[in-house]
Amino acid sequence: MALVYASGSYGSQVRVNVEGDHSELQQNARIFVGEVEGRTADGLRRYASTAIAQVERAIRALGYYNPVISWEVDESAEGLAELILTVEPGEPVTVRSRNVRIEGAGGDDPEFVDKIPAQPTEGDVLHHGFYNSLRQAIQNRASLLGYFDGEFLTRRLEVDPSENLADITLHYRTGERYRLGSVTFLEGHEFEQDLLDRFVTFEPGIPFHADEVAKLNSDLSNSGYFTGVDIDASPNRAEDGVIPVDIGLTPRPPRSIGAGVGFSTDVGPRLRGNWREHYTNPMGHRRGADAELSELRQNISGWYELPLDPPMTDSLRLGMGYQRENIEDVDSERLTLGQQWRHQLDTGWMQVLSIRWEGERFRIGEDERSNSSLLLPGLSYSKLQANSPLDPSRGYRLQLDLTGAHRAIISDADILHINVLARGLYTLADNHRFLTRFNFGGVATNNFSDVPPSLRFFSGGDQSVRGYGYETLSPRDDNNVAIGGRYQLVAGIEYQYEFVRNWRIAAFVDEGNAVDDVFDRLATGVGMGIRWVSPVGPLRLDIAKGLDEEFGGGWRIHFSMGPEL
């Protein structure tokens, strides 16, 4: 039985019915005909030939060259008359032959030839849009790779409607590939030449590739030094096939101040502020200060950073900070001095080598205050892969942090501290999102009582095991005081469904604890929530139930914001 698709353009006096299962033909015909209003029945009869021509063009673009179209004007309904077109599309035109040939230097270039679209190919229904895309893709690839003298020698689409067959012939001659020349930074930027040269990752004379120019533009724009980057790499300026690269830079204002207000159910309302000097000298050194104030935590820190090679990924940062916390049964003050060397490996992993001194004064429960002094060299590796920085649909984050101290090197304890984090995100059928996370931490020491609270493990809260209070999951002493654990094990899985754009409902299960033995019992939390992808990042509101009352589980509301990965 034939299927008939009716036009869905409300209020139009022309209705197109395409027989058979041809929704794409129906949609294209509706677009070509458009809205027709305010015509009399006689006016519609005079318009019928125009409407038929529009429908023929619409379905011909999709390969149907021999339609049978009949029409009638319906005056029976109340209101305006209606022109009804009934379309029998007939058999489609198929591609009999495809002859695509690349001549010149590009014909031996795999970057060019291997990226030519495979459609349309022999046996396919002729689709003019796919043919145009194929033709445009060849030209775009030539421009991307620097074959600026390329041209079509033959560009032909031959259709035989009587046989319902089509032949595609595209012969393209690339000419020689242009090369990138030396990079010149125009005057007016205030920075040392050595710093700017470190942003250039290609050598003069390499074959032109637009991605190299785009990367240079992106690296300079994201450096934090400039408000404007203007790169001129026009082939019109080439000499003997070599394109000089001239760059104009507009420095940003050197200083900025920021402030903000936030809230989470872990620490409640908080105030944040920062001061930045984006460059202190022509070498691109930076410095800044950050402060945070909340009921449970107060901290202030400052840093000084030197860009290395390459400056977009590698740096040396010197820092110091003071932090005070009063969470659950722990009252702590900590002073930190140290440095970090950040270096991105060729594999994409970020490596951080650090050394810091931490002096901590703390009290756990009703015990007397203790003091800790530690020199902590550290090593960290991390990798973030995501298809969007603000709201990715898939990706992962991996991180390993390793640090330690020894009594022989101005430290009060022997400590080896490790923390492993893994997060994953995958989206199925656009609306179904699955998030997983795993966190393991451990501390090895010959005297756990010497380990300060900042290096012990506490679990529970918005970013840990929901359904439990912030950092309330912990081993406890005889007075029921949370003293922190040697190990931390936390895992979670979450499902999200996007019911309206940027709004999602979520269901989750969390499990974890801070323990003294990795085989100790874990706490479980379950719940549901809602997510809103705001302009500044995802906001999360959850209602969770901690299933283990002996660990303090119960009904809790959790609110937080920040990236999923």
Side-chain angles (χ1 to χ4, degrees):
M1 181 176 66
L3 298 177
V4 177
Y5 282 78
S7 172
S9 53
Y10 179 77
S12 176
Q13 287 182 262
V14 177
R15 176 155 53 96
V16 181
N17 295 332
V18 179
E19 295 185 349
D21 188 5
H22 296 290
S23 58
E24 190 177 12
L25 296 183
Q26 178 69 46
Q27 177 69 13
N28 217 39
R30 179 168 51 192
I31 293 172
F32 270 70
V33 171
E35 300 291 330
V36 178
E37 299 176 347
R39 294 181 182 257
T40 64
D42 287 339
L44 287 175
R45 292 185 181 94
R46 289 190 294 272
Y47 182 73
S49 60
T50 300
I52 289 173
Q54 290 170 332
V55 171
E56 287 177 340
R57 288 174 54 210
I59 66 175
R60 179 177 296 177
L62 301 180
Y64 291 82
Y65 274 66
N66 297 301
V68 176
I69 303 176
S70 59
W71 63 273
E72 61 176 335
V73 175
D74 183 2
E75 302 180 67
S76 62
E78 296 182 3
L80 297 175
E82 185 179 36
L83 172 62
I84 301 172
L85 302 178
T86 301
V87 182
E88 298 178 23
E91 293 298 317
V93 171
T94 58
V95 177
R96 174 169 54 190
S97 66
R98 165 184 157 134
N99 186 350
V100 177
R101 188 167 71 238
I102 307 299
E103 299 179 359
D108 299 321
D109 186 349
E111 277 195 281
F112 193 120
V113 177
D114 294 349
K115 296 297 178 65
I116 295 175
Q119 303 297 324
T121 189
E122 295 176 3
D124 288 350
V125 173
L126 177 63
H127 192 301
H128 285 251
F130 292 164
Y131 167 74
N132 291 334
S133 295
L134 171 62
R135 187 182 62 195
Q136 190 63 49
I138 293 173
Q139 292 178 308
N140 292 346
R141 199 69 192 165
S143 297
L144 179 75
L145 297 177
Y147 296 100
F148 295 114
D149 297 329
E151 60 178 346
F152 278 105
L153 303 177
T154 304
R155 186 178 60 184
R156 186 167 61 241
L157 172 61
E158 298 175 301
V159 179
D160 183 352
S162 64
E163 298 291 335
N164 284 329
L165 293 173
D167 299 301
I168 295 172
T169 305
L170 293 172
H171 293 170
Y172 191 83
R173 181 170 58 199
T174 64
E176 293 300 316
R177 187 174 183 178
Y178 282 54
R179 289 169 290 146
L180 283 169
S182 58
V183 176
T184 301
F185 291 92
L186 305 180
E187 294 182 359
H189 50 69
E190 303 178 14
F191 292 92
E192 285 191 353
Q193 186 67 36
D194 177 67
L195 171 65
L196 300 178
D197 287 343
R198 280 183 265 153
F199 282 95
V200 182
T201 58
F202 58 84
E203 295 293 331
I206 69 165
F208 180 93
H209 200 303
D211 288 351
E212 291 286 355
V213 179
K215 180 180 184 301
L216 178 56
N217 188 307
S218 175
D219 289 341
L220 289 167
S221 298
N222 295 331
S223 67
Y225 296 133
F226 312 107
T227 56
V229 177
D230 182 17
I231 298 182
D232 184 0
S234 171
N236 297 330
R237 301 171 55 241
E239 295 184 7
D240 297 326
V242 178
I243 304 173
V245 181
D246 291 343
I247 304 177
L249 300 171
T250 305
R252 67 175 298 169
R255 300 172 188 86
S256 65
I257 297 176
V261 178
F263 177 85
S264 74
T265 44
D266 280 350
V267 298
R270 63 178 181 267
L271 301 175
R272 287 181 173 175
N274 65 70
W275 169 80
R276 297 284 185 270
E277 192 163 5
H278 304 286
Y279 48 92
T280 65
N281 53 39
M283 295 179 290
H285 294 187
R286 323 171 201 255
R287 60 188 173 189
D290 300 272
E292 179 182 346
L293 176 64
S294 67
E295 181 181 2
L296 302 182
R297 180 189 297 127
Q298 306 87 45
N299 66 63
I300 184 169
S301 63
W303 51 268
Y304 191 94
E305 185 175 279
L306 295 77
L308 300 179
D309 188 11
M312 48 278 197
T313 57
D314 291 21
S315 64
L316 180 67
R317 174 175 288 204
L318 310 174
M320 65 178 298
Y322 169 81
Q323 178 172 290
R324 186 179 188 279
E325 287 185 333
N326 190 348
I327 300 174
E328 193 65 11
D329 299 314
V330 176
D331 187 2
S332 169
E333 294 179 273
R334 186 166 83 252
L335 181 65
T336 304
L337 302 170
Q339 67 85 25
Q340 290 183 337
W341 173 48
R342 296 170 58 87
H343 170 61
Q344 187 170 37
L345 304 177
D346 293 339
T347 58
W349 285 82
M350 179 61 69
Q351 173 186 273
V352 179
L353 296 176
S354 65
I355 185 167
R356 71 183 189 273
W357 172 83
E358 286 192 355
E360 188 166 355
R361 186 168 179 259
F362 61 91
R363 182 175 64 196
I364 299 177
E366 298 300 323
D367 293 346
E368 294 184 359
R369 285 193 176 274
S370 300
N371 294 294
S372 170
S373 176
L374 299 173
L375 183 66
L376 295 159
L379 175 63
S380 173
Y381 291 94
S382 63
K383 188 172 186 179
L384 172 63
Q385 187 74 40
N387 62 348
S388 170
L390 181 65
D391 182 40
S393 61
R394 64 182 181 275
Y396 64 87
R397 176 190 290 274
L398 301 172
Q399 185 166 333
L400 167 66
D401 299 304
L402 184 67
T403 189
H406 196 278
R407 291 180 188 274
I409 312 176
I410 59 173
S411 297
D412 294 335
D414 297 325
I415 294 173
L416 179 63
H417 192 277
I418 186 172
N419 195 60
V420 179
L421 173 69
R423 291 176 178 264
L425 169 63
Y426 184 75
T427 301
L428 184 65
D430 294 332
N431 295 332
H432 304 273
R433 295 163 58 91
F434 298 89
L435 292 92
T436 59
R437 58 190 173 93
F438 173 77
N439 183 207
F440 170 78
V443 56
T445 180
N446 49 22
N447 190 353
F448 188 71
S449 62
D450 292 335
V451 179
S454 60
L455 295 177
R456 301 184 186 188
F457 294 101
F458 299 84
S459 298
D462 303 340
Q463 306 297 322
S464 181
V465 185
R466 287 163 286 188
Y468 301 85
Y470 179 50
E471 296 196 352
T472 59
L473 294 175
S474 161
R476 295 178 179 269
D477 64 12
D478 296 338
N479 297 319
N480 199 34
V481 172
I483 60 174
R486 293 173 178 265
Y487 304 100
Q488 177 173 255
L489 288 161
V490 174
I493 184 169
E494 179 171 310
Y495 165 74
Q496 297 178 3
Y497 175 73
E498 187 170 41
F499 60 95
V500 177
R501 180 174 175 78
N502 292 333
W503 286 89
R504 304 174 183 127
I505 57 173
F508 57 84
V509 178
D510 296 335
E511 189 160 1
N513 208 341
V515 294
D516 284 331
D517 190 305
V518 292
F519 298 104
D520 285 350
R521 184 180 171 190
L522 305 180
T524 303
V526 299
M528 299 188 68
I530 191 165
R531 309 285 181 263
W532 174 46
V533 184
S534 75
V536 296
L539 301 179
R540 294 179 288 272
L541 178 63
D542 294 321
I543 299 177
K545 175 70 163 66
L547 301 183
D548 299 283
E549 294 182 4
E550 62 270 35
F551 292 137
W555 288 103
R556 298 187 69 89
I557 294 177
H558 296 275
F559 176 81
S560 62
M561 65 179 298
E564 302 281 12
L565 295 175

